[in-house]
Amino acid sequence: MAPRILVQEAPFDAAAEAARLTEGRTDVGALASFTGLCRADDGLRAMVLEHYPGMTERALLRIAEEAMARWPLTACTVIHRHGRITPGEPIVLVLTASAHRAAALESCAFLMDWLKTKAPFWKREELAEGGSRWVEARATDEAAASRW
Amino acid sequence: MKILYFAWVRERTGVAEEEIALPDGVRDIAALVDHLAARSPGHAAAFENRRTIRAAVNQDFATPDTTVAPGDEVAFFPPVTGG
């Protein structure tokens, strides 16, 4: 099954997305899911995500295909939002389905680590006191991506 | 060729996208950055610290020695911060 990749401004329905991967199947023994949400650190008002239309979808598909090549997955879904997202709202969803849990859990972590460093998104924070600033890339994210 | 800028690189150059003629002798990303940095004070500011700039050629991540050719789509942006 080809990975399901969505780059969208609208919120997503994580439960409905999860149901898609198991519906009518009896070979899926493990479904792993990760949802990344916007936190209100230091009273942050919102997060604005910019991306590179075209390259974003391409990069996410490549990362998902890499996961499907490395682990025996029956399906995988990556949904990443862009635009203005307020605290409490979901930003990203990764779902992986497999016969067994190790493949599902490991590939889910792999997908998050890689998409943080290999997909063209940029976050700008709208601050509590007004104004905004671009989020800087973290060395710890780079280290997490390189462990795979 | 089409040049795209994202995030604070776009804010500094003041343009999201521009069409340029690839000058003779410019064959890789490093040389293209030298050329673009001379276009305006904003471009110079955007490319001030080259270690903080990433690039893509035809929507694939590139490095300073990646070759560029007329007709390519080249993008410049800060290190990515998605997820």
Side-chain angles (χ1 to χ4, degrees):
Chain A
M1 200 166 154
R4 176 170 160 85
I5 307 295
L6 294 171
V7 179
Q8 63 187 41
E9 207 162 339
F12 47 78
D13 182 343
E17 290 297 332
R20 285 177 74 103
L21 304 195
T22 55
E23 230 160 52
R25 303 190 67 131
T26 52
D27 58 339
V28 178
L31 177 66
S33 133
F34 175 86
T35 305
L37 303 129
C38 178
R39 283 191 317 266
D41 287 0
D42 306 316
L44 175 114
R45 280 186 189 161
M47 193 84 94
V48 181
L49 277 111
E50 181 172 331
H51 78 116
Y52 182 172
M55 179 171 171
T56 310
E57 292 79 357
R58 197 178 148 96
L60 292 179
L61 180 62
R62 193 165 292 175
I63 296 164
E65 284 173 346
E66 181 69 28
M68 298 201 78
R70 291 190 188 202
W71 286 275
L73 303 182
T74 54
C76 117
T77 297
V78 178
I79 303 178
H80 205 304
R81 294 178 64 197
H82 61 89
R84 192 168 186 273
I85 295 170
T86 51
E89 283 188 68
I91 301 172
V92 59
L93 175 71
V94 170
L95 297 171
T96 50
S98 182
H100 303 287
R101 74 177 186 282
L105 288 168
E106 284 170 19
S107 60
C108 189
F110 161 84
L111 280 161
M112 272 314 299
D113 284 345
W114 270 35
L115 79 79
K116 272 182 121 47
T117 56
K118 297 176 200 294
F121 286 97
W122 301 276
K123 287 192 187 110
R124 189 163 51 80
E125 296 174 332
E126 288 184 3
L127 308 173
E129 61 271 26
S132 69
R133 67 164 176 234
W134 291 99
V135 173
E136 277 185 48
R138 292 160 37 167
T140 48
D141 287 339
E142 202 55 61
S146 61
R147 74 194 163 109
W148 297 101
Chain B
M1 80 192 324
K2 189 159 122 181
I3 311 287
L4 304 170
Y5 304 103
F6 292 98
W8 57 254
V9 180
R10 169 179 49 73
E11 291 178 341
R12 290 188 192 176
T13 61
V15 288
E17 185 176 332
E18 57 189 346
E19 198 66 39
I20 67 150
L22 188 63
D24 287 342
V26 174
R27 295 193 185 86
D28 61 21
I29 287 289
L32 181 58
V33 167
D34 289 338
H35 173 69
L36 293 172
R39 278 176 80 82
S40 77
H43 285 72
F47 291 111
E48 195 175 25
N49 185 354
R50 300 191 184 188
R51 291 166 55 97
T52 63
I53 303 277
R54 300 291 178 269
V57 175
N58 297 325
Q59 306 191 350
D60 281 325
F61 285 105
T63 56
D65 60 2
T66 300
T67 53
V68 292
D72 281 348
E73 175 179 302
V74 180
F76 294 98
F77 42 78
V80 302
T81 54

